[in-house]
Amino acid sequence: MEEKLLKIFAEESQEIIESLEKGLLDLEGSENPEEINAVFRAAHTMKGNAGIVGYDDVVDLTHLMEGLLDEMRQGRMVPDGQIVGLLLSAVDALKVLVGGRLAGQSPPRPEDIIAMLSRRLEGEAPTPAPAAAVSAPAGASKANTFRITIRFDPQILATGTDPLQLFLELEEVGRLEQVICHAEKLPSWQEMAPDKLYLWWEVLLQTEQPRQVLDDVFIFVRDENEIRIEEIAPAAAPMAVASAPAATSPRPAPMPAQPRQRPAAPTASPAAQASPDAVRPAAPAHPSEEGHSPASSKPVMQASTIRVETDKLDKLVNLVGELVIGVARVNQLSEGSGGEDLGGAVEALDHISRDLQEQVMRVRMIPVEGT
């Protein structure tokens, strides 16, 4: 499964990085919410994919990028040349990280970019509440309280989604006041399937972030799972836990899982190698903090797969079909000629055309598993 996930990550990461770069180049000076949301979704997808395969350094970098983009979505930051340039530098660093990881290397963390993203994010973010206000009872601060009910599809683990990652994201959004794990559907160990999820959760979260941020945490699992987010009044914050004995602890562990561990780096690249050939298109001015000036040429992944528009494939399939028909007609005409050389050549051409047709049809078919 790990090798399969790495292959999927390698195929998708190049497309995501390209969309990040293109989206950012179009973003400077624009306040179009759809453009900002598109870049945000790309960063969020990269963070989630990297978390699944255990690339924590990629998760850390894209998490900060996502934070800045979310500030733009909330209208607290303007996508000017400096901030877009900083994000483009982060994309350059992302290329190096992902390309090195997929090549089986351990590239160094881009500490300078991470530090610059952190400083910019802290500088633009609202002033945090004092410690006393954070620990005060609900209603004594500006924070909102949400009750989140999380019922995942029992087969969610087979899709490569790790529920623990979502709880970790919630911890970054706000303060987990209470986490109740319901295990009433947990079967005996003789009947338990290791790839099936039997648990569901109720979470009480206090945060100063708007509801939209919570929706974004579950953006990729909402359609296939039951996720309910309710804003509640401070007085109604404590949850009724008569049916959940696990609630005796104020903050039980979100799920009975081991801490995140980074899997061993693959011994061979499934899809990519770092290459110094590609040069990024002209970009907005990069930030001048600490004299940072990213190089114009960055290593870029070389993928073993490419994405082709379906209409081009359909046209190719039609042309090959016409070729097969044409070869069949030539074959019929050559049968009465009596020429052995001509017959042999037509037979060879017939084999080639049918092999070509078979390969083209394989390219055009979409695996049911991926769908």
Side-chain angles (χ1 to χ4, degrees), residues 37-294:
N37 284 333
V39 181
F40 174 85
R41 285 194 297 270
H44 189 83
T45 303
M46 175 61 79
K47 184 179 80 168
N49 290 358
I52 290 173
V53 296
Y55 292 167
D56 292 344
D57 45 5
V58 177
V59 172
D60 294 341
L61 178 60
T62 50
H63 175 68
L64 291 170
M65 296 173 63
E66 183 186 47
L68 288 178
L69 290 164
D70 189 52
E71 291 293 301
M72 296 180 197
R73 295 172 74 211
Q74 304 301 327
R76 295 190 292 262
M77 183 180 293
V78 178
D80 56 22
Q82 187 181 37
I83 189 61
V84 170
L86 175 57
L87 288 169
L88 284 168
S89 297
V91 172
D92 286 339
L94 187 62
K95 292 179 187 177
V96 177
L97 277 182
V98 173
R101 281 288 197 170
L102 293 176
Q105 304 166 359
S106 298
R109 281 170 57 90
E111 298 293 353
D112 55 339
I113 294 293
I114 288 176
M116 293 166 66
L117 289 169
S118 298
R119 286 198 300 270
R120 187 61 189 259
L121 187 58
E122 291 169 2
E124 294 288 346
T127 305
V134 172
S135 59
S141 69
K142 300 177 183 178
N144 300 316
T145 303
F146 295 90
R147 179 185 286 118
I148 308 172
T149 304
I150 306 170
R151 294 177 183 265
F152 293 116
D153 185 281
Q155 306 299 330
I156 190 172
L157 300 178
T159 68
T161 301
D162 183 358
L164 179 59
Q165 293 286 342
L166 299 175
F167 283 96
L168 294 173
E169 285 196 46
L170 285 176
E171 274 195 320
E172 295 172 355
V173 170
R175 177 188 177 92
L176 290 175
E177 296 291 339
Q178 202 171 40
V179 178
I180 301 174
C181 179
H182 294 263
E184 60 268 16
K185 294 185 178 180
L186 195 66
S188 62
W189 67 269
Q190 295 95 334
E191 301 173 342
M192 189 180 299
D195 60 346
K196 191 172 180 180
L197 185 64
Y198 300 95
L199 311 175
W200 65 280
W201 292 266
E202 287 181 283
V203 177
L204 199 64
L205 177 74
Q206 190 179 76
T207 178
E208 295 184 5
Q209 299 293 333
R211 163 69 181 267
Q212 179 64 43
V213 175
L214 298 183
D215 290 334
D216 290 339
V217 171
F218 300 98
I219 190 172
F220 297 113
V221 297
R222 290 191 69 96
D223 293 339
E224 301 83 11
N225 304 275
E226 182 184 342
I227 310 294
R228 189 166 67 249
I229 303 174
E230 306 169 89
E231 185 171 358
I232 59 178
M239 288 189 285
V241 295
S243 61
T248 53
S249 173
R251 281 193 61 190
M255 62 181 295
Q258 296 296 323
R260 283 188 298 173
Q261 293 182 353
R262 181 183 301 171
T267 55
S269 168
Q273 293 288 342
S275 168
D277 299 333
V279 179
R280 193 181 60 211
H286 286 259
S288 57
E289 292 188 51
E290 300 178 359
H292 177 73
S293 176

Side-chain angles (χ1 to χ4, degrees), residues 9 19 102 209 238 259 270 281 312 318 359:
F9 175 79
S19 64
L102 293 176
Q209 299 293 333
K312 294 181 180 179
N318 293 335
Q359 292 301 319

